[in-house]
Amino acid sequence: MSKKDLRILVIGQTPPPFGGQAMMIEYMLNNKYEGVQMYHVRMCFSREMNERGKISLYKITHIFWIIKQAYLLKFKYKIDALYYPPSNSPKVSVLRDIILLLFIRPIFKKTIFHFHAAGIMEEIPKMNPIIKMLALIALKKPDLAITSSVFNPQDGVFLEAKRNVIVPLGVPDEYPQNLAALQTDLPEIKILFVGLLNSTKGEGVLLEAVHQLHEQGYKIQLQIAGKFESEEYREAFFADVKKYGVENNVEYLGIIKGKEKEKAFCNADIFCFPSYFVSESFGVVLLEAMQYKLPIVATRWRGIQSIVEDGKSGYLVDIKNATQVAAKIKILIDDPEFRKTMGDYSREVFLQKYTIEKYIENLNESFLLIND
């Protein structure tokens, strides 16, 4: 490490749980940079996705542990800059960020905010006056604000960042060379959904679309992977499955990773992600679908619009519109050759824009801007 290297302390969660933000922070930490040296204090407020937004004694004590570790590393290694990914929801996570940043940010010369969760500019005006004042003290005027898409809320501009940059996300290319050996021939068209199951990710909209197609006589197998945010929502979701009469057409895969995840993507025909999640900024799962040559049906919602090229790598539909979702899936089912062409184009775009190498290169350049 050179004495001239920019030293950055990263405060952020890495898996588990396997959410998009945690995965992206892990990818960032596991790569090498020119002129940048990273240190890490691992957040671990939620050990499962369904623990988000819940207060516990463990979480309160964890706040103090993070503050202590940040001070120790800052002065031991003479770290220049703080990297932090602010939340925009739930409210308890925003309050956590305020507390941490009020204590930690003042000891660093520079601050980098990476808005993996987009939309804090929409939440701050809704806060009561005291919380709003503290939020602005904690968050205003970072040296660098990073977002992943021009379609996301302009949080950095709202917070008067000295520099605002757009860095599209990227993931490792895990496309298998022996794809044919991993695939199974089934008569049904397989539609895959992967994500946090909390209703606003759009799995309920997709279920309704599958019901509509089932009523029209299409043979479809919907595979859903992810963690239900609550047991109550899980019960409500499967009550809808029963109500629609598609029990034999819906398979719940649970949380998938490694070979299970590879198998699910390899055997899918279409990837569907009709999200309108308040914190959605890019959709890492869309990049994973693209690398596996899957055509995508997704929503015109924030950074998703940067990824899916409507009519070329997939289709974009309005949020909360099951009829539009069903119509686009129907086009892809009815035309297998076009479906393949779309999937092939998806992978081409992935290789051009969304590899982990491209992401790290762009991050590296952005980090060094704060030295200018």
Side-chain angles (χ1 to χ4, degrees):
M1 180 183 71
S2 167
K3 290 183 178 180
K4 294 181 181 180
D5 281 353
L6 173 68
R7 295 175 172 89
I8 299 175
L9 179 66
V10 176
I11 297 181
Q13 179 137 0
T14 53
F18 288 83
Q21 176 174 301
M23 290 170 60
M24 294 314 304
I25 290 175
E26 182 168 72
Y27 293 149
M28 180 182 75
L29 290 167
N30 288 344
N31 278 273
K32 295 182 179 180
Y33 302 83
E34 293 184 13
V36 175
Q37 178 70 29
M38 289 189 179
Y39 303 83
H40 182 217
V41 174
R42 182 174 184 261
M43 276 186 179
C44 188
F45 288 99
S46 298
R47 288 162 285 192
E48 296 286 350
M49 294 301 289
N50 58 358
E51 292 179 6
R52 293 173 67 253
K54 298 176 182 177
I55 299 175
S56 67
L57 178 60
Y58 163 76
K59 290 185 177 183
I60 293 170
T61 57
H62 191 53
I63 288 175
F64 292 103
W65 180 85
I66 290 172
I67 294 170
K68 176 186 173 184
Q69 292 300 115
Y71 272 74
L72 288 174
L73 290 175
K74 154 66 183 172
F75 294 109
K76 181 177 181 180
Y77 297 105
K78 298 179 181 179
I79 299 173
D80 309 292
L82 170 68
Y83 169 103
Y84 195 91
S87 299
N88 76 321
S89 72
K91 289 182 180 179
V92 66
S93 297
V94 177
L95 291 173
R96 172 206 68 202
D97 288 350
I98 292 171
I99 294 169
L100 286 171
L101 290 168
L102 286 175
F103 278 93
I104 295 172
R105 190 178 169 189
I107 65 173
F108 290 90
K109 296 177 183 177
K110 306 280 186 177
T111 302
I112 301 165
F113 287 151
H114 197 160
F115 294 100
H116 286 290
I120 189 63
M121 65 173 287
E122 299 169 347
E123 301 304 316
I124 288 177
K126 302 175 188 175
M127 297 175 179
N128 73 54
I130 294 176
I131 300 299
K132 179 179 178 180
M133 177 190 69
L134 292 174
L136 290 174
I137 292 171
L139 291 163
K140 249 193 159 183
K141 297 184 178 178
D143 296 275
L144 178 65
I146 304 172
T147 188
S148 53
S149 169
V150 68
F151 292 103
N152 286 334
Q154 299 303 297
D155 296 313
V157 174
F158 175 79
L159 294 171
E160 301 177 17
K162 295 177 184 177
R163 288 181 181 268
N164 289 278
V165 296
I166 296 173
V167 178
L169 305 184
V171 297
D173 185 6
E174 298 175 343
Y175 184 73
Q177 298 302 312
N178 61 334
L179 177 63
L182 297 169
Q183 291 177 318
T184 54
D185 290 326
L186 294 172
E188 303 96 348
I189 290 291
K190 279 196 174 181
I191 301 170
L192 179 64
F193 171 95
V194 179
L196 172 65
L197 300 167
N198 69 348
S199 77
T200 61
K201 285 285 188 176
E203 65 281 356
V205 175
L206 176 55
L207 177 62
E208 186 179 342
V210 167
H211 166 60
Q212 292 180 17
L213 291 165
H214 179 68
E215 291 289 292
Q216 296 173 41
Y218 284 92
K219 294 182 178 180
I220 296 173
Q221 186 72 19
L222 172 60
Q223 292 191 320
I224 291 183
K227 180 82 172 180
F228 280 95
E229 194 165 53
S230 69
E231 186 57 34
E232 292 76 16
Y233 177 59
R234 177 192 173 103
E235 291 174 1
F237 179 83
F238 284 107
D240 284 342
V241 171
K242 186 175 181 180
K243 179 182 75 173
Y244 289 141
V246 292
E247 297 99 318
N248 295 328
N249 305 90
V250 177
E251 181 182 5
Y252 176 53
L253 303 178
I255 298 172
I256 56 173
K257 51 185 183 287
K259 291 297 181 182
E260 290 178 333
K261 186 175 180 180
E262 179 182 67
K263 181 180 177 182
F265 276 102
C266 286
N267 282 295
D269 297 293
I270 301 166
F271 189 82
C272 196
F273 193 66
S275 176
Y276 51 99
F277 183 44
V278 67
S279 297
E280 201 75 67
S281 63
F282 208 66
V284 174
V285 290
L286 297 174
L287 307 186
E288 294 174 329
M290 291 171 75
Q291 68 176 275
Y292 281 93
K293 296 187 176 182
L294 292 180
I296 296 167
V297 178
T299 37
R300 295 184 184 90
W301 181 248
R302 299 192 171 172
I304 293 171
Q305 300 169 90
S306 291
I307 305 169
V308 180
E309 296 183 27
D310 195 22
K312 297 180 73 176
S313 63
Y315 288 113
L316 292 172
V317 300
D318 296 335
I319 64 170
K320 306 179 186 179
N321 195 318
T323 300
Q324 287 185 12
V325 173
K328 298 306 183 185
I329 292 174
K330 184 176 182 293
I331 292 172
L332 294 171
I333 294 174
D334 289 343
D335 193 339
E337 190 60 36
F338 183 55
R339 189 169 73 234
K340 182 181 183 304
T341 299
M342 251 192 186
D344 289 343
Y345 182 74
S346 262
R347 177 155 176 83
E348 288 177 20
V349 174
F350 168 77
L351 292 173
Q352 290 169 10
K353 297 182 179 180
Y354 302 122
T355 62
I356 190 65
E357 292 80 11
K358 189 69 175 175
Y359 176 58
I360 297 303
E361 177 186 340
N362 291 337
L363 269 186
N364 201 155
E365 292 176 1
S366 299
F367 290 150
L368 293 176
L369 290 174
I370 66 173
N371 277 340
D372 292 349

